[in-house]
Amino acid sequence: MSLDAEGIAEVLDEIARILELNGENPFKIRAYHNGARFLESLTDDLDELIASGRLAEQPGIGEALADKIAALRRDGRLDFHEKLRASLPAGLLDILTIPGVGPKKTRALWKELGITDIPGLQAACQEGRVATLKGFGEKTQARILDGIRNREAYGKRHLWAAVEPLVETLLKGLRQLPQVRMAEAAGSFRRNRETVGDLDVIVGSDEPRPIMDWFVARPGIAEVTAHGETKSSVRVEGGLQVDLRVVPPAQFFFALHHFTGSKDHNVAMRQRALSMGLSMSEWGLAPRDPGAKPPQAASEREVFAALGLAWVPPELREGHGEIDAAEAGALPDLVSLADLRGAFHNHTTESDGKSTLEQMAAAAEALGWEYLSINDHSRTSAYAGGLEVERLLRQVDAIKALNASGKFKVRILSGSEVDILRDGSLDYPDDILAKLDVVVVSVHAGFTLDEDEQTARLVRALEHPLAHILGHATGRLLLQREPYKVNLAKVIDAAAANGKSIELNAYPRRLDLDWTHWRRAAEKGVLCSINPDAHLADHLAYVRHGVNVARKGWLTKGQVLNTRPLREVLRWLGRR
DNA sequence: GCCGTTTTCGGCCCGACTGTTTTCAGTCG
């Protein structure tokens, strides 16, 4: 079985971890990690890159990695990888995931004590054997035990949307403290990643102590893991780790930039700084020439300006070419929430929604929208109250009547979220689909088809002349369910060729398609629809999360269908 | 393993913290 780009990236990461345990050259290890990051953010078709021989020309990919990637794509396995794997007990890689235990310590545990997995490590700690090892001690042993105990609860990431309320409360509280000059969230949260590992908060102040004391005494804190002058860390109930860093105001914007990351972005920035005779760190820019004056920054814009760059929005800082674009003045003018004039793909009490048609209409009107499309489930999704033809037609009439009543200014569009059946056909006959304003087509079953079958299924649905928008294209549920196997490059090509839109499902647990695919899709001419997939009137506001992801995918207003006024949308839908 | 206004070898981003140490290695972000 062949592997997709993400699967190959996982193998490269694992190779890197094994090389680490073997004490290999750290730069070689980084090359494998870089290769994995390249594959994860790949926007071109991998098969095309391999076939055309252009893979080895990609940044960070040389002949050796190109060969290995091609082999993994073709065979789904790699001799080199399997031999490496066989050289170590499998459990050692798990030990590596314990905080505070890296490759050197793991290797020492293995070679000195014969420990090869986590249960063995736990037992050795409890017997006090680990503390006797050179380089280890009582505290390390206790920390390892804690790490093992907390692995399940603390190891996992958190949905961006679940972290946001905490961020707001925390920043509000911090900004009210008299010692605080500035305070911002940084890290993956600020970069609008769909999930957040831990939360970084940066404060500018000359008086850190009272701020730290306030911070570690917040309600809802399960554990204080560090309490220092410049950094404190807590574990809040629910498992999220929050790190607070306090820096002098003059360093604030350098620190904010540094801790916003990403790592790849920072590496590229430091390389650029070096080429300009400057050394960059979280503390600022230090000239190589000791006589020169270090650049100052009274805003993050000035940090970039010091390196001859336009300000890069945080969500673009993933090392995906944003620095070249900033230098060339070619950064995109990103879509914003205020640009949206309506949304498609929303449910009501007719299927599995919890709000009525009128409640949905009222909520859309309160948001100032011009239109709202109702797309309840189709008949095959019986588990979700999918509508038989008769009930669907009654809903179409009810929507017509509501529009005619003049009760709301917002125009309600009638539609359906039509199941794409296993063979790629749609769940209603064409004469019924033709009566709808908006046909969203989605997969709700048959997740286990192989990649070729699943791809053909989606492509066939996109070729249907009455389909408008492909819903949640990969079916993933963040932190819960993996996407199904599908060749997205081909799906995107099919959408482009047939003039269809692909949805950016804004439901916080979906955010599907993923941000990494939108640049490619938009370049191919595919319009994005930022849809809430609302099952409750309040869920319409989820479009905010969709906008965050669209921005992260470099999308501009012009590339998003529901920024267009009603008249243009109706024309695009083919409804006069 | 990658890469080249220091080009085919010899570099490769930066700093803080922790615990174990007597000056620093390992880990992390």
Side-chain angles (χ1 to χ4, degrees):
Chain A
M1 219 182 83
S2 75
L3 284 172
D4 60 8
E6 273 178 50
I8 298 170
E10 280 175 30
V11 173
L12 296 187
D13 273 331
E14 187 170 294
I15 289 173
R17 285 195 298 274
I18 298 172
L19 293 176
E20 258 189 302
L21 285 173
N22 286 339
E24 268 280 1
N25 175 356
F27 299 104
K28 187 192 225 176
I29 292 159
R30 199 166 80 191
Y32 278 94
H33 280 305
N34 285 344
R37 297 293 83 70
F38 166 80
L39 288 171
E40 281 172 1
S41 63
L42 186 66
T43 55
D44 295 313
D45 187 86
L46 180 58
D47 294 327
E48 269 174 43
L49 280 179
I50 293 170
S52 65
R54 287 187 296 118
L55 186 53
E57 295 167 17
Q58 307 303 309
I61 307 294
E63 292 296 334
L65 274 177
D67 286 349
K68 290 187 171 82
I69 291 167
L72 282 163
R73 177 68 187 153
R74 188 183 57 239
D75 307 329
R77 52 173 294 282
L78 182 69
D79 275 342
F80 175 67
H81 173 228
E82 288 176 3
K83 282 187 185 136
L84 276 178
R85 251 192 152 167
S87 72
L88 299 169
L92 284 187
L93 291 173
D94 294 334
I95 292 179
L96 211 45
T97 66
I98 299 168
V101 185
K104 298 282 164 58
K105 285 202 159 69
T106 302
R107 199 177 164 77
L109 290 165
W110 175 35
K111 291 293 179 188
E112 305 295 326
L113 294 179
I115 291 168
T116 58
D117 55 20
I118 288 183
L121 177 57
Q122 189 166 26
C125 287
Q126 282 159 352
E127 293 159 15
R129 288 189 285 136
V130 169
T132 64
L133 270 185
K134 184 172 156 57
F136 291 71
E138 292 293 338
K139 286 193 174 174
T140 303
Q141 181 171 272
R143 186 166 144 81
I144 291 173
L145 274 177
D146 272 352
I148 293 173
R149 205 170 297 127
N150 295 332
R151 238 163 78 84
E152 289 303 308
Y154 295 167
K156 60 175 200 255
R157 299 178 67 84
H158 305 261
L159 289 182
W160 189 96
V163 175
E164 190 193 22
L166 173 72
V167 174
E168 289 191 346
T169 313
L170 186 56
L171 288 179
K172 192 169 165 227
L174 281 167
R175 286 171 182 151
Q176 282 171 354
L177 297 179
Q179 301 87 358
V180 171
R181 293 270 304 280
M182 49 275 258
E184 293 290 346
S188 49
F189 179 84
R190 184 164 182 242
R191 298 201 313 279
N192 289 352
R193 291 294 291 232
E194 55 271 75
T195 61
V196 175
D198 51 38
L199 176 65
D200 295 294
V201 177
I202 314 296
V203 163
S205 171
D206 290 315
E207 260 187 285
R209 183 55 66 187
I211 300 170
M212 291 303 191
D213 292 344
W214 176 88
F215 173 62
V216 300
R218 289 304 77 217
I221 288 177
E223 183 190 7
V224 177
T225 51
H227 183 183
E229 276 278 323
T230 62
K231 183 191 166 188
S232 291
S233 293
V234 301
R235 180 82 59 188
V236 301
E237 284 157 15
L240 180 74
Q241 177 173 317
V242 185
D243 293 344
L244 178 68
R245 290 184 166 80
V246 181
V247 300
Q251 265 93 55
F252 177 79
F253 292 102
F254 291 107
L256 178 63
H257 173 266
H258 175 87
F259 289 107
T260 296
S262 65
K263 201 170 192 295
D264 291 340
H265 170 87
N266 287 352
V267 167
M269 288 286 278
R270 289 193 207 112
Q271 278 165 346
R272 182 178 175 84
L274 277 182
S275 74
M276 298 171 71
L278 295 162
S279 169
M280 187 174 199
S281 76
E282 63 260 51
W283 298 107
L285 284 159
R288 274 273 179 71
D289 171 5
K293 206 168 146 257
Q296 304 295 304
S299 67
E300 213 184 35
R301 197 169 293 276
E302 293 181 15
V303 174
F304 286 94
L307 297 182
L309 298 172
W311 179 75
V312 178
E315 48 271 64
L316 300 189
R317 300 181 199 167
E318 297 289 349
H320 290 187
E322 69 276 7
I323 291 174
D324 290 344
E327 183 177 26
L331 287 168
D333 187 7
L334 300 176
V335 64
S336 72
L337 184 59
D339 292 329
L340 297 192
R341 294 176 182 241
F344 313 102
H345 191 174
N346 299 288
H347 298 270
T348 71
T349 46
E350 279 299 308
S351 63
D352 58 350
K354 299 283 183 275
S355 298
T356 63
L357 176 61
E358 293 214 4
Q359 287 167 334
M360 296 296 283
E365 186 147 301
L367 289 168
W369 286 352
E370 293 176 32
Y371 49 90
L372 181 77
S373 167
I374 299 298
N375 302 76
D376 274 311
H377 286 283
S378 64
R379 53 191 178 180
T380 292
S381 283
Y383 68 93
L387 279 61
E388 290 298 337
V389 168
E390 217 170 286
R391 210 145 60 87
L392 175 66
L393 294 180
R394 275 209 300 277
Q395 189 189 42
V396 171
D397 288 341
I399 288 172
K400 265 187 201 149
L402 183 64
N403 283 327
S405 75
K407 188 167 177 185
F408 299 104
K409 275 183 291 186
V410 61
R411 166 77 174 268
I412 306 301
L413 303 173
S414 60
S416 173
E417 181 185 15
V418 185
D419 270 34
I420 302 173
L421 305 180
R422 194 167 269 263
D423 64 355
S425 63
L426 301 184
D427 197 19
Y428 290 124
D430 289 0
D431 62 322
I432 301 301
L433 294 177
K435 294 181 192 296
L436 303 174
D437 295 321
V438 180
V439 175
V440 175
V441 297
S442 306
V443 164
H444 289 108
F447 295 155
T448 54
L449 295 185
D450 71 32
E451 179 178 322
D452 288 345
E453 288 174 317
Q454 198 68 273
T455 304
R457 177 190 192 185
L458 292 188
V459 168
R460 184 173 171 208
L462 283 165
E463 286 169 347
H464 194 295
L466 295 171
H468 293 115
I469 301 170
L470 174 63
H472 45 69
T474 77
R476 75 167 180 185
L477 294 176
L478 288 164
L479 310 177
Q480 197 172 314
R481 183 173 77 202
E482 290 298 304
Y484 41 73
K485 299 271 180 224
V486 62
N487 184 331
L488 282 173
K490 287 186 178 153
V491 170
I492 288 168
D493 286 345
N498 293 283
K500 310 296 184 185
S501 171
I502 295 179
E503 165 179 283
L504 199 175
N505 190 298
Y507 212 77
R509 197 170 281 284
R510 288 190 182 271
L511 300 175
D512 179 11
L513 270 183
D514 194 80
W515 61 275
T516 54
H517 300 291
W518 284 108
R519 254 173 107 184
R520 172 191 163 80
E523 278 165 14
K524 295 256 178 180
V526 175
L527 274 174
C528 169
S529 304
I530 299 176
N531 296 338
D533 197 357
H535 287 72
L536 188 69
D538 287 347
H539 291 176
L540 293 182
Y542 284 163
V543 290
R544 207 160 51 85
H545 305 303
V547 169
N548 281 349
V549 171
R551 292 172 61 88
K552 195 158 187 59
W554 293 56
L555 293 184
T556 63
K557 178 180 176 183
Q559 293 164 335
V560 177
L561 177 61
N562 48 321
T563 62
R564 299 189 179 179
L566 176 63
R567 214 153 46 98
E568 281 181 39
V569 164
L570 288 173
R571 196 183 314 132
W572 189 86
L573 292 166
R575 308 297 284 182
R576 104 195 82 161

